[in-house]
Amino acid sequence: MATVHPDRTLIKSSWVVIEAGSDVTNHPHIYKPLEAAKLHFSDIDYKYFTTPQVHLDEKPRYVYGVKALSGAVAINSGWIRGDASDYAQWAHQVGDDRWTYQGLLSYFRRSEHHLEPNADPNQHGFQGPMHIYFVTSSGRHYPLRETILNAWKSIGLKEVADANNGAPQGVAELVENRCDGLRQLTSVAYPLTGAQIMTETYVARITLHDNKLGKVATGVELANGRRLSIKESGEVLLCGGAYRSPQVLMLSGIGGKHILEEHGILQEIDLPGVGYNLHDHQMIFRYWKLRHPERGLAMASPDFADPAFEKGNPVDCIAAMTVPEDGLRAAIATDKTHASLQGGRSHFELNILGSITISSKDPTAAPVIDPNYCATEADRHIMRQGWRTMSRLMLETPEGKDLVAEEILPEGYNCLQSDACDEDIDARIKIGGMSCYHPAGSCSMGEVVDGSCKVDGVQGLRVVDASVIPVPLAAHYQAPVFALAEQAADIIIADRKPL
């Protein structure tokens, strides 16, 4: 590297990776699936809390943020692509068919090393870096597998052979990202050969200059005041995730005028969409007392001891389903503003009214996170339908009745069957609703970046992470983000080729 100013360095490496966290390759709890829970509130977790959630119980919710080379998969890994109809809405919203399910399919396949030999080669890849397999492929045969599968069938769900083909509705065996029972780090699966890697380094802002065509990104300023400048033809790729990417843009003067002025930041680019359209999956846990605990059905039992169980989380299947369209239409009509109705789509949630802002000019400070859970009637309607479905499954099917003696309840609350009133279900969701840790959308494509992930109004600057996904996906976001990044890489390479 060549120093061109006492505090400015011209980057001569072909690429530089700047990471606020550390290299966690040798972290003791990274690889074993059952130890991943220990990473919450650990040294690699920002330990974020949201603002008080006014549509729940007005208390903050914990939402982790990973500070580690490899990003969020260091804590939370999975492999659920979701519903093709969600990707169709994404592509329609931004006017770019590259973001349809079909447009991303080759990139899903490119990232996968599917270990199931009978997997559909039109849907799945077998040569990629991320090892993918079904639960039973790891040798895990949980004692409740058939019971729960049959319970789902009892309430009308069909069994599907592969939920990662764009048509997941039904109940299917879970697919995981594991390599011989161990979790994979992105920085290992995708080697950073040739990169200059800077860990434990915060970016204070992206530096911008004016040229004859407008603003151009010229590098970054670090929290310690040092500046790194890219070559004239280079680019800055911002990959801070749904919480940190909008923060870095705002600290760089890219965002809405009001929030920037509030913190004494000169506005460089007026992009009021920065930090808005945040969406996240919401979940709620329910707990059940088993009718026959002596059968070794749960983790606490000494008979739940197959060594293969160490190779993944104790989950057999995943169910995806829609909600009755009439009720959803009525809810959306009540809201008067919400995501467009997609008849027959899978639902994890629909929340798109959250936001990320900054609390100060300090790049090490936590962003202000407001997912705004249950802010719309549509969100509340979908959560109620999920609650009622779980009540049917565990309390009203023959399989559930044989399995469960009772629900373990919070003090002062009653067990709610599927015919419980909205108000009683809402009360339970208000005290128990929490993040499923899948935030996205805060630098949305079509609002902040274009279909090539370029930040509007700035040359040489792109955002490539979950923050650009403009609509909620009924997915675990690892698979979609890997496909997004694979396609973004191709776009960047194509853009650099001479005409």
Side-chain angles (χ1 to χ4, degrees):
M1 304 183 80
T3 301
V4 295
H5 188 273
D7 64 350
R8 181 181 293 276
T9 303
L10 179 67
I11 297 171
K12 288 195 173 182
S13 299
S14 59
W15 53 304
V16 175
V17 176
I18 304 173
E19 166 57 53
S22 59
D23 182 347
V24 295
T25 305
N26 297 316
H27 196 286
H29 302 308
I30 286 291
Y31 298 106
K32 292 184 179 180
L34 296 184
E35 293 189 0
K38 297 179 181 179
L39 297 168
H40 291 273
F41 294 99
S42 73
D43 56 328
I44 70 168
D45 183 2
Y46 281 110
K47 310 174 188 69
Y48 295 137
F49 280 84
T50 71
T51 60
Q53 292 302 286
V54 297
H55 301 288
L56 297 179
D57 57 2
E58 300 192 13
K59 295 179 181 178
R61 293 305 195 263
Y62 162 69
V63 287
Y64 77 79
V66 179
K67 48 179 177 180
L69 196 66
S70 288
V73 298
I75 289 182
N76 185 359
S77 62
W79 208 263
I80 303 168
R81 293 180 185 176
D83 199 316
S85 64
D86 293 341
Y87 295 92
Q89 186 180 353
W90 173 355
H92 175 75
Q93 191 162 308
V94 302
D96 192 333
D97 285 346
R98 290 179 296 184
W99 304 107
T100 62
Y101 180 83
Q102 198 63 36
L104 283 163
L105 181 56
S106 64
Y107 300 103
F108 282 124
R109 294 171 60 220
R110 181 192 288 181
S111 64
E112 288 184 350
H113 183 155
H114 209 300
L115 298 177
E116 173 53 57
N118 296 322
D120 182 357
N122 294 315
Q123 287 289 332
H124 296 291
F126 302 90
Q127 313 251 337
M130 306 308 293
H131 289 229
I132 310 301
Y133 57 47
F134 291 111
V135 169
T136 51
S137 298
S138 68
R140 285 143 60 210
H141 299 275
Y142 293 113
L144 287 178
R145 177 184 177 85
E146 295 303 321
T147 299
I148 297 300
L149 187 61
N150 288 331
W152 281 113
K153 291 178 182 179
S154 291
I155 63 171
L157 267 69
K158 64 180 180 180
E159 186 175 1
V160 296
D162 183 4
N164 275 335
N165 63 2
Q169 286 184 27
V171 57
E173 186 172 5
L174 184 69
V175 175
E176 300 172 307
N177 167 214
R178 304 281 188 266
C179 183
D180 193 25
L182 299 177
R183 300 165 71 241
Q184 285 187 279
L185 286 174
T186 313
S187 59
V188 176
Y190 288 83
L192 299 173
T193 306
Q196 177 188 343
I197 302 170
M198 303 173 67
T199 56
E200 300 179 17
T201 303
Y202 282 85
V203 171
R205 67 185 180 97
I206 297 159
T207 54
L208 304 175
H209 286 181
D210 292 302
N211 68 12
K212 60 183 179 180
L213 298 177
K215 298 289 183 181
V216 58
T218 58
V220 297
E221 180 179 323
L222 306 180
N224 63 9
R226 180 185 176 194
R227 293 187 180 186
L228 303 178
S229 296
I230 59 176
K231 299 174 183 178
E232 186 174 349
S233 61
E235 292 190 58
V236 175
L237 307 182
L238 178 56
C239 310
Y243 298 145
R244 286 285 182 170
S245 283
Q247 179 187 32
V248 172
L249 289 180
M250 292 179 202
L251 294 176
S252 307
I254 302 171
K257 187 175 183 180
H258 173 73
I259 187 67
L260 299 181
E261 285 185 342
E262 181 181 333
H263 296 286
I265 299 171
L266 176 67
Q267 187 183 54
E268 300 278 4
I269 297 291
D270 183 18
L271 274 182
V274 172
Y276 291 92
N277 195 54
L278 175 70
H279 42 85
D280 184 19
H281 296 155
Q282 187 184 183
M283 66 179 177
I284 184 167
F285 284 102
R286 297 176 72 177
Y287 301 91
W288 312 95
K289 181 179 179 180
L290 294 175
R291 195 175 296 279
H292 299 289
E294 73 280 0
R295 294 179 180 173
L297 303 177
M299 289 183 70
S301 170
D303 294 326
F304 194 88
D306 189 326
F309 292 171
E310 296 289 329
K311 293 186 176 183
N313 297 323
V315 181
D316 268 310
C317 59
I318 182 167
M321 58 193 300
T322 185
V323 300
E325 192 167 302
D326 289 347
L328 184 58
R329 285 187 184 277
I332 290 175
T334 299
D335 294 330
K336 298 182 180 178
T337 174
H338 207 273
S340 60
L341 178 65
Q342 293 282 315
R345 70 182 290 273
S346 305
H347 289 291
F348 282 12
E349 45 54 66
L350 276 172
N351 187 292
I352 57 169
L353 296 177
S355 65
I356 303 293
T357 54
I358 54 176
S359 59
S360 73
K361 296 170 72 172
D362 180 0
T364 68
V368 179
I369 302 169
D370 182 10
N372 209 9
Y373 295 125
C374 284
T376 68
E377 182 58 26
D379 292 334
R380 293 188 288 272
H381 174 75
I382 291 166
M383 289 297 291
R384 292 177 201 130
Q385 292 300 316
W387 182 281
R388 291 188 169 106
T389 297
M390 187 55 61
S391 291
R392 289 174 60 203
L393 185 80
M394 302 303 287
L395 301 173
E396 300 169 25
T397 62
E399 297 82 6
K401 289 178 180 179
D402 182 63
L403 177 64
V404 169
E406 61 183 341
E407 183 176 5
I408 300 171
L409 299 164
E411 185 175 355
Y413 290 85
N414 298 319
C415 181
L416 302 178
Q417 303 279 341
S418 63
D419 60 355
C421 68
D422 289 353
E423 292 76 14
D424 286 347
I425 295 175
D426 287 349
R428 283 291 301 275
I429 292 170
K430 282 182 179 181
I431 65 166
M434 59 182 288
S435 175
C436 198
Y437 314 124
H438 299 158
S442 51
C443 297
S444 280
M445 197 175 287
E447 295 288 335
V448 177
V449 302
D450 66 11
S452 295
C453 298
K454 296 178 181 178
V455 175
D456 290 345
V458 184
Q459 300 171 64
L461 175 60
R462 302 188 205 231
V463 181
V464 184
D465 57 33
S467 72
V468 307
I469 300 174
V471 299
L473 306 176
H476 183 291
Y477 275 56
Q478 182 182 355
V481 168
F482 276 51
L484 183 158
E486 290 276 13
Q487 172 145 258
D490 274 5
I491 291 171
I492 292 167
I493 291 169
D495 285 351
R496 295 182 67 81
K497 289 181 180 178
L499 297 176

